[in-house]
Short mmCIF file of all heavy atoms in Angstrom, two decimals:
data_model
loop_
_atom_site.label_atom_id
_atom_site.label_comp_id
_atom_site.label_asym_id
_atom_site.label_seq_id
_atom_site.Cartn_x
_atom_site.Cartn_y
_atom_site.Cartn_z
N GLY N 84 94.26 -23.62 -265.46
CA GLY N 84 94.43 -22.71 -264.34
C GLY N 84 95.80 -22.78 -263.69
O GLY N 84 96.36 -21.76 -263.29
N GLU N 85 96.35 -23.97 -263.54
CA GLU N 85 97.66 -24.11 -262.92
C GLU N 85 98.73 -23.37 -263.73
O GLU N 85 99.62 -22.73 -263.16
CB GLU N 85 98.06 -25.57 -262.76
CG GLU N 85 99.39 -25.73 -262.06
CD GLU N 85 99.85 -27.17 -261.94
OE1 GLU N 85 99.01 -28.09 -262.01
OE2 GLU N 85 101.07 -27.37 -261.78
N SER N 86 98.64 -23.42 -265.04
CA SER N 86 99.60 -22.70 -265.89
C SER N 86 99.44 -21.19 -265.69
O SER N 86 100.43 -20.46 -265.64
CB SER N 86 99.41 -23.07 -267.36
OG SER N 86 99.81 -24.40 -267.57
N CYS N 87 98.21 -20.71 -265.56
CA CYS N 87 97.99 -19.29 -265.30
C CYS N 87 98.60 -18.90 -263.96
O CYS N 87 99.23 -17.84 -263.84
CB CYS N 87 96.49 -18.97 -265.30
SG CYS N 87 95.65 -19.25 -266.87
N THR N 88 98.45 -19.77 -262.95
CA THR N 88 99.04 -19.50 -261.65
C THR N 88 100.56 -19.43 -261.74
O THR N 88 101.19 -18.52 -261.19
CB THR N 88 98.62 -20.57 -260.63
OG1 THR N 88 97.20 -20.50 -260.46
CG2 THR N 88 99.29 -20.38 -259.29
N ARG N 89 101.17 -20.37 -262.43
CA ARG N 89 102.63 -20.37 -262.56
C ARG N 89 103.11 -19.12 -263.31
O ARG N 89 104.14 -18.54 -262.95
CB ARG N 89 103.11 -21.64 -263.23
CG ARG N 89 102.99 -22.85 -262.32
CD ARG N 89 103.46 -24.11 -263.02
NE ARG N 89 103.34 -25.25 -262.16
CZ ARG N 89 104.35 -25.78 -261.47
NH1 ARG N 89 105.55 -25.26 -261.54
NH2 ARG N 89 104.15 -26.85 -260.71
N LEU N 90 102.39 -18.70 -264.33
CA LEU N 90 102.74 -17.45 -265.01
C LEU N 90 102.59 -16.26 -264.06
O LEU N 90 103.41 -15.32 -264.07
CB LEU N 90 101.87 -17.24 -266.25
CG LEU N 90 102.15 -18.15 -267.43
CD1 LEU N 90 101.05 -18.00 -268.48
CD2 LEU N 90 103.51 -17.88 -268.03
N GLY N 91 101.55 -16.31 -263.23
CA GLY N 91 101.37 -15.25 -262.23
C GLY N 91 102.53 -15.19 -261.26
O GLY N 91 102.98 -14.10 -260.88
N LEU N 92 103.03 -16.34 -260.85
CA LEU N 92 104.18 -16.37 -259.95
C LEU N 92 105.43 -15.80 -260.63
O LEU N 92 106.22 -15.10 -259.99
CB LEU N 92 104.44 -17.79 -259.46
CG LEU N 92 103.42 -18.34 -258.46
CD1 LEU N 92 103.63 -19.83 -258.23
CD2 LEU N 92 103.49 -17.56 -257.15
N GLU N 93 105.59 -16.10 -261.92
CA GLU N 93 106.72 -15.51 -262.67
C GLU N 93 106.62 -13.98 -262.65
O GLU N 93 107.61 -13.30 -262.42
CB GLU N 93 106.73 -16.01 -264.12
CG GLU N 93 107.14 -17.45 -264.30
CD GLU N 93 107.07 -17.90 -265.76
OE1 GLU N 93 107.00 -17.03 -266.67
OE2 GLU N 93 107.07 -19.11 -265.99
N ALA N 94 105.43 -13.47 -262.90
CA ALA N 94 105.23 -12.01 -262.91
C ALA N 94 105.45 -11.43 -261.51
O ALA N 94 106.07 -10.36 -261.36
CB ALA N 94 103.83 -11.68 -263.42
N TRP N 95 105.00 -12.13 -260.48
CA TRP N 95 105.15 -11.66 -259.11
C TRP N 95 106.64 -11.58 -258.73
O TRP N 95 107.07 -10.63 -258.09
CB TRP N 95 104.41 -12.60 -258.17
CG TRP N 95 104.13 -12.05 -256.80
CD1 TRP N 95 104.54 -10.86 -256.27
CD2 TRP N 95 103.35 -12.68 -255.79
NE1 TRP N 95 104.07 -10.72 -254.98
CE2 TRP N 95 103.35 -11.82 -254.67
CE3 TRP N 95 102.68 -13.89 -255.72
CZ2 TRP N 95 102.68 -12.14 -253.48
CZ3 TRP N 95 102.02 -14.20 -254.54
CH2 TRP N 95 102.01 -13.34 -253.44
N ARG N 96 107.41 -12.58 -259.17
CA ARG N 96 108.84 -12.59 -258.85
C ARG N 96 109.57 -11.37 -259.41
O ARG N 96 110.53 -10.91 -258.81
CB ARG N 96 109.49 -13.86 -259.39
CG ARG N 96 109.26 -15.05 -258.50
CD ARG N 96 110.07 -16.27 -258.95
NE ARG N 96 109.44 -17.45 -258.39
CZ ARG N 96 108.68 -18.30 -259.05
NH1 ARG N 96 108.49 -18.15 -260.35
NH2 ARG N 96 108.12 -19.32 -258.45
N ILE N 97 109.11 -10.87 -260.54
CA ILE N 97 109.76 -9.68 -261.11
C ILE N 97 109.00 -8.41 -260.72
O ILE N 97 109.22 -7.35 -261.30
CB ILE N 97 109.93 -9.79 -262.65
CG1 ILE N 97 108.59 -9.91 -263.36
CG2 ILE N 97 110.86 -10.95 -263.00
CD1 ILE N 97 108.68 -9.78 -264.87
N LYS N 98 108.10 -8.55 -259.76
CA LYS N 98 107.34 -7.44 -259.18
C LYS N 98 106.39 -6.76 -260.16
O LYS N 98 106.12 -5.56 -260.06
CB LYS N 98 108.29 -6.44 -258.53
CG LYS N 98 109.21 -7.09 -257.51
CD LYS N 98 109.62 -6.16 -256.44
CE LYS N 98 110.60 -6.76 -255.46
NZ LYS N 98 110.32 -8.01 -254.91
N ASP N 99 105.89 -7.52 -261.12
CA ASP N 99 104.87 -7.00 -262.03
C ASP N 99 103.51 -7.42 -261.47
O ASP N 99 102.85 -8.33 -261.98
CB ASP N 99 105.10 -7.55 -263.44
CG ASP N 99 104.23 -6.86 -264.48
OD1 ASP N 99 103.29 -6.13 -264.08
OD2 ASP N 99 104.49 -7.05 -265.68
N LEU N 100 103.10 -6.72 -260.40
CA LEU N 100 101.88 -7.10 -259.69
C LEU N 100 100.61 -6.97 -260.52
O LEU N 100 99.72 -7.82 -260.39
CB LEU N 100 101.77 -6.33 -258.38
CG LEU N 100 102.86 -6.62 -257.36
CD1 LEU N 100 102.61 -5.84 -256.08
CD2 LEU N 100 102.97 -8.10 -257.07
N PRO N 101 100.47 -5.97 -261.38
CA PRO N 101 99.24 -5.92 -262.18
C PRO N 101 99.08 -7.17 -263.07
O PRO N 101 97.99 -7.72 -263.17
CB PRO N 101 99.40 -4.66 -263.02
CG PRO N 101 100.30 -3.79 -262.20
CD PRO N 101 101.26 -4.74 -261.54
N VAL N 102 100.16 -7.62 -263.69
CA VAL N 102 100.09 -8.83 -264.53
C VAL N 102 99.85 -10.04 -263.65
O VAL N 102 99.02 -10.91 -263.98
CB VAL N 102 101.37 -8.98 -265.38
CG1 VAL N 102 101.43 -10.35 -266.04
CG2 VAL N 102 101.43 -7.88 -266.43
N ALA N 103 100.54 -10.14 -262.53
CA ALA N 103 100.35 -11.27 -261.62
C ALA N 103 98.89 -11.36 -261.17
O ALA N 103 98.29 -12.43 -261.19
CB ALA N 103 101.28 -11.15 -260.42
N ARG N 104 98.33 -10.21 -260.80
CA ARG N 104 96.95 -10.19 -260.32
C ARG N 104 95.98 -10.70 -261.39
O ARG N 104 95.09 -11.50 -261.11
CB ARG N 104 96.59 -8.76 -259.88
CG ARG N 104 95.30 -8.66 -259.14
CD ARG N 104 95.04 -7.29 -258.50
NE ARG N 104 95.67 -6.14 -259.09
CZ ARG N 104 96.84 -5.61 -258.72
NH1 ARG N 104 97.55 -6.16 -257.77
NH2 ARG N 104 97.32 -4.53 -259.31
N VAL N 105 96.16 -10.25 -262.64
CA VAL N 105 95.28 -10.70 -263.73
C VAL N 105 95.42 -12.20 -263.94
O VAL N 105 94.42 -12.92 -264.11
CB VAL N 105 95.59 -9.93 -265.03
CG1 VAL N 105 94.93 -10.58 -266.23
CG2 VAL N 105 95.15 -8.48 -264.91
N LEU N 106 96.64 -12.70 -263.92
CA LEU N 106 96.86 -14.14 -264.13
C LEU N 106 96.27 -14.96 -262.98
O LEU N 106 95.64 -16.00 -263.21
CB LEU N 106 98.34 -14.43 -264.32
CG LEU N 106 98.88 -13.97 -265.67
CD1 LEU N 106 100.40 -13.87 -265.64
CD2 LEU N 106 98.41 -14.90 -266.78
N PHE N 107 96.45 -14.51 -261.74
CA PHE N 107 95.87 -15.25 -260.60
C PHE N 107 94.35 -15.20 -260.66
O PHE N 107 93.68 -16.20 -260.40
CB PHE N 107 96.36 -14.67 -259.27
CG PHE N 107 97.82 -14.87 -259.00
CD1 PHE N 107 98.55 -13.91 -258.33
CD2 PHE N 107 98.49 -16.03 -259.40
CE1 PHE N 107 99.89 -14.09 -258.05
CE2 PHE N 107 99.83 -16.22 -259.13
CZ PHE N 107 100.54 -15.25 -258.45
N GLU N 108 93.80 -14.05 -261.03
CA GLU N 108 92.35 -13.94 -261.15
C GLU N 108 91.84 -14.88 -262.25
O GLU N 108 90.82 -15.55 -262.08
CB GLU N 108 91.93 -12.51 -261.45
CG GLU N 108 90.43 -12.34 -261.53
CD GLU N 108 90.01 -10.89 -261.73
OE1 GLU N 108 90.82 -10.08 -262.21
OE2 GLU N 108 88.84 -10.59 -261.41
N THR N 109 92.56 -14.94 -263.35
CA THR N 109 92.18 -15.85 -264.43
C THR N 109 92.18 -17.28 -263.95
O THR N 109 91.26 -18.05 -264.21
CB THR N 109 93.13 -15.67 -265.63
OG1 THR N 109 93.03 -14.33 -266.10
CG2 THR N 109 92.79 -16.63 -266.76
N ALA N 110 93.24 -17.65 -263.21
CA ALA N 110 93.35 -19.02 -262.70
C ALA N 110 92.21 -19.34 -261.74
O ALA N 110 91.71 -20.47 -261.71
CB ALA N 110 94.69 -19.21 -261.99
N CYS N 111 91.79 -18.36 -261.00
CA CYS N 111 90.80 -18.59 -259.94
C CYS N 111 89.37 -18.34 -260.40
O CYS N 111 88.53 -19.21 -260.31
CB CYS N 111 91.12 -17.66 -258.77
SG CYS N 111 89.93 -17.71 -257.44
N VAL N 112 89.11 -17.14 -260.88
CA VAL N 112 87.74 -16.72 -261.14
C VAL N 112 87.28 -17.11 -262.54
O VAL N 112 86.24 -17.73 -262.71
CB VAL N 112 87.60 -15.19 -260.93
CG1 VAL N 112 86.21 -14.73 -261.25
CG2 VAL N 112 87.97 -14.84 -259.49
N ALA N 113 88.07 -16.75 -263.54
CA ALA N 113 87.64 -16.99 -264.92
C ALA N 113 87.69 -18.46 -265.29
O ALA N 113 86.79 -18.99 -265.92
CB ALA N 113 88.49 -16.17 -265.88
N LYS N 114 88.75 -19.14 -264.89
CA LYS N 114 88.91 -20.55 -265.26
C LYS N 114 88.36 -21.49 -264.19
O LYS N 114 88.08 -22.64 -264.47
CB LYS N 114 90.39 -20.89 -265.49
CG LYS N 114 91.10 -19.99 -266.48
CD LYS N 114 90.64 -20.22 -267.89
CE LYS N 114 91.51 -19.42 -268.83
NZ LYS N 114 90.87 -18.97 -270.00
N LEU N 115 88.23 -21.00 -262.96
CA LEU N 115 87.70 -21.78 -261.84
C LEU N 115 88.38 -23.14 -261.68
O LEU N 115 87.73 -24.14 -261.44
CB LEU N 115 86.18 -21.98 -261.99
CG LEU N 115 85.35 -20.71 -261.97
CD1 LEU N 115 83.91 -21.02 -262.31
CD2 LEU N 115 85.44 -20.03 -260.62
N SER N 116 89.69 -23.16 -261.85
CA SER N 116 90.32 -24.47 -261.83
C SER N 116 91.52 -24.61 -260.91
O SER N 116 91.98 -25.71 -260.71
CB SER N 116 90.75 -24.85 -263.25
OG SER N 116 91.66 -23.89 -263.75
N ASP N 117 92.04 -23.53 -260.35
CA ASP N 117 93.23 -23.68 -259.52
C ASP N 117 93.08 -22.96 -258.19
O ASP N 117 93.21 -21.74 -258.13
CB ASP N 117 94.47 -23.18 -260.26
CG ASP N 117 95.75 -23.50 -259.51
OD1 ASP N 117 95.74 -24.44 -258.70
OD2 ASP N 117 96.75 -22.80 -259.72
N PRO N 118 92.84 -23.72 -257.11
CA PRO N 118 92.68 -23.09 -255.80
C PRO N 118 93.94 -22.36 -255.33
O PRO N 118 93.85 -21.41 -254.56
CB PRO N 118 92.31 -24.23 -254.87
CG PRO N 118 92.53 -25.48 -255.62
CD PRO N 118 92.61 -25.15 -257.07
N ASN N 119 95.13 -22.78 -255.79
CA ASN N 119 96.34 -22.05 -255.42
C ASN N 119 96.32 -20.65 -256.03
O ASN N 119 96.71 -19.67 -255.39
CB ASN N 119 97.59 -22.79 -255.87
CG ASN N 119 97.80 -24.07 -255.10
OD1 ASN N 119 97.39 -24.20 -253.95
ND2 ASN N 119 98.44 -25.04 -255.73
N GLY N 120 95.86 -20.54 -257.28
CA GLY N 120 95.72 -19.24 -257.91
C GLY N 120 94.76 -18.35 -257.11
O GLY N 120 95.00 -17.15 -256.96
N CYS N 121 93.69 -18.94 -256.59
CA CYS N 121 92.75 -18.19 -255.75
C CYS N 121 93.44 -17.67 -254.49
O CYS N 121 93.19 -16.55 -254.05
CB CYS N 121 91.57 -19.06 -255.34
SG CYS N 121 90.44 -19.46 -256.68
N GLY N 122 94.31 -18.49 -253.92
CA GLY N 122 95.04 -18.07 -252.73
C GLY N 122 95.94 -16.88 -253.01
O GLY N 122 95.92 -15.88 -252.29
N TYR N 123 96.71 -16.97 -254.08
CA TYR N 123 97.59 -15.86 -254.43
C TYR N 123 96.78 -14.61 -254.81
O TYR N 123 97.14 -13.49 -254.44
CB TYR N 123 98.53 -16.24 -255.58
CG TYR N 123 99.55 -17.27 -255.21
CD1 TYR N 123 99.65 -18.46 -255.93
CD2 TYR N 123 100.43 -17.07 -254.15
CE1 TYR N 123 100.60 -19.41 -255.60
CE2 TYR N 123 101.39 -18.03 -253.82
CZ TYR N 123 101.47 -19.19 -254.55
OH TYR N 123 102.41 -20.14 -254.23
N PHE N 124 95.69 -14.81 -255.55
CA PHE N 124 94.82 -13.69 -255.93
C PHE N 124 94.26 -13.03 -254.67
O PHE N 124 94.29 -11.80 -254.53
CB PHE N 124 93.71 -14.19 -256.85
CG PHE N 124 92.75 -13.13 -257.30
CD1 PHE N 124 93.21 -11.96 -257.90
CD2 PHE N 124 91.39 -13.31 -257.16
CE1 PHE N 124 92.32 -10.99 -258.35
CE2 PHE N 124 90.49 -12.35 -257.60
CZ PHE N 124 90.96 -11.17 -258.19
N GLY N 125 93.78 -13.84 -253.75
CA GLY N 125 93.24 -13.30 -252.50
C GLY N 125 94.28 -12.52 -251.71
O GLY N 125 93.99 -11.44 -251.18
N TRP N 126 95.49 -13.06 -251.66
CA TRP N 126 96.56 -12.36 -250.92
C TRP N 126 96.84 -11.00 -251.55
O TRP N 126 96.96 -10.00 -250.83
CB TRP N 126 97.82 -13.21 -250.89
CG TRP N 126 98.94 -12.50 -250.18
CD1 TRP N 126 100.00 -11.89 -250.75
CD2 TRP N 126 99.07 -12.31 -248.78
NE1 TRP N 126 100.80 -11.33 -249.78
CE2 TRP N 126 100.25 -11.57 -248.56
CE3 TRP N 126 98.30 -12.68 -247.68
CZ2 TRP N 126 100.68 -11.22 -247.28
CZ3 TRP N 126 98.74 -12.33 -246.41
CH2 TRP N 126 99.91 -11.60 -246.23
N LEU N 127 96.94 -10.95 -252.88
CA LEU N 127 97.20 -9.66 -253.52
C LEU N 127 96.05 -8.67 -253.29
O LEU N 127 96.28 -7.49 -253.04
CB LEU N 127 97.46 -9.84 -255.01
CG LEU N 127 98.82 -10.44 -255.37
CD1 LEU N 127 98.95 -10.59 -256.89
CD2 LEU N 127 99.95 -9.60 -254.83
N LEU N 128 94.82 -9.16 -253.36
CA LEU N 128 93.68 -8.28 -253.11
C LEU N 128 93.69 -7.76 -251.68
O LEU N 128 93.31 -6.62 -251.41
CB LEU N 128 92.35 -8.99 -253.39
CG LEU N 128 92.02 -9.25 -254.83
CD1 LEU N 128 90.75 -10.08 -254.93
CD2 LEU N 128 91.87 -7.95 -255.60
N TRP N 129 94.13 -8.60 -250.75
CA TRP N 129 94.14 -8.21 -249.35
C TRP N 129 95.31 -7.29 -249.03
O TRP N 129 95.18 -6.34 -248.26
CB TRP N 129 94.18 -9.44 -248.45
CG TRP N 129 94.05 -9.07 -247.01
CD1 TRP N 129 92.89 -8.80 -246.33
CD2 TRP N 129 95.12 -8.87 -246.07
NE1 TRP N 129 93.18 -8.45 -245.03
CE2 TRP N 129 94.54 -8.50 -244.84
CE3 TRP N 129 96.49 -8.98 -246.16
CZ2 TRP N 129 95.29 -8.23 -243.71
CZ3 TRP N 129 97.25 -8.72 -245.02
CH2 TRP N 129 96.65 -8.35 -243.81
N SER N 130 96.46 -7.54 -249.63
CA SER N 130 97.68 -6.87 -249.18
C SER N 130 98.23 -5.79 -250.10
O SER N 130 99.01 -4.96 -249.65
CB SER N 130 98.78 -7.91 -248.97
OG SER N 130 99.15 -8.49 -250.21
N ASP N 131 97.85 -5.77 -251.36
CA ASP N 131 98.44 -4.84 -252.31
C ASP N 131 97.68 -3.51 -252.27
O ASP N 131 96.51 -3.44 -252.62
CB ASP N 131 98.40 -5.44 -253.72
CG ASP N 131 99.00 -4.52 -254.78
OD1 ASP N 131 99.74 -3.60 -254.41
OD2 ASP N 131 98.72 -4.74 -255.96
N ASP N 132 98.38 -2.45 -251.88
CA ASP N 132 97.75 -1.15 -251.75
C ASP N 132 97.23 -0.59 -253.06
O ASP N 132 96.32 0.23 -253.08
CB ASP N 132 98.73 -0.14 -251.14
CG ASP N 132 99.04 -0.45 -249.69
OD1 ASP N 132 98.21 -1.12 -249.04
OD2 ASP N 132 100.11 -0.03 -249.22
#
Side-chain angles (χ1 to χ4, degrees):
E85 182 182 339
S86 291
C87 297
T88 296
R89 288 179 181 261
L90 288 170
L92 289 170
E93 288 177 16
W95 197 355
R96 280 188 201 104
I97 62 170
K98 306 208 183 312
D99 190 347
L100 296 182
V102 169
R104 191 170 25 267
V105 167
L106 287 162
F107 293 145
E108 182 176 22
T109 299
C111 175
V112 178
K114 307 289 187 211
L115 297 172
S116 59
D117 188 23
N119 291 332
C121 289
Y123 292 124
F124 180 53
W126 178 257
L127 286 179
L128 288 175
W129 186 81
S130 67
D131 180 18
D132 291 336

